[in-house]
Amino acid sequence: MKITTFNPMILTQNAEEIIKLFEELGFEKRHAPTVDTGKNLVTSVRMKDANGFYIDIAGVPGMAQDRTIIRMNVDDFDEAFELLTKMGFKRPDTATKGTIETEKNKSAMMISPSGFAFDLVQHYKE
């Protein structure tokens, strides 16, 4: 398994406010796909600054408190999912679907035994 992207991701119900903050810090919007999680429609805005740093900001309706996680894109989702599961990572109790799969990617939030989380993603090559 190869990690292809690794950066912070903020989950929030106040995405526009946080996006404005990061724009003030010099980040620019790259793209903003919307995904049906089975519970909500979540739009994740990908941002990049002039130094090449990335941050993703996901607008999650009804989220009680912001949460910062780590987005980890990999070249083999199933291998990474199995590795994390063996290390004690689990899907959150609030998840209504196991893995989210679209035409473009496969993803799942995975929470470690100590509480930090990955948004595990594999993008399909076209």
Side-chain angles (χ1 to χ4, degrees), residues 4-24:
T4 58
T5 304
F6 198 84
N7 62 268
M9 179 176 205
I10 299 171
L11 309 177
T12 181
Q13 69 174 352
N14 301 308
E16 287 306 314
E17 290 174 30
I18 295 173
I19 290 166
K20 286 178 187 174
L21 166 67
F22 278 91
E23 287 174 333
E24 290 293 320

Side-chain angles (χ1 to χ4, degrees), residues 56-77:
D56 296 339
I57 300 164
V60 182
M63 186 134 195
Q65 183 177 14
D66 292 354
R67 181 171 187 159
T68 303
I69 66 174
I70 301 167
R71 175 179 164 164
M72 182 170 63
N73 287 15
V74 295
D75 66 344
D76 187 330
F77 180 91

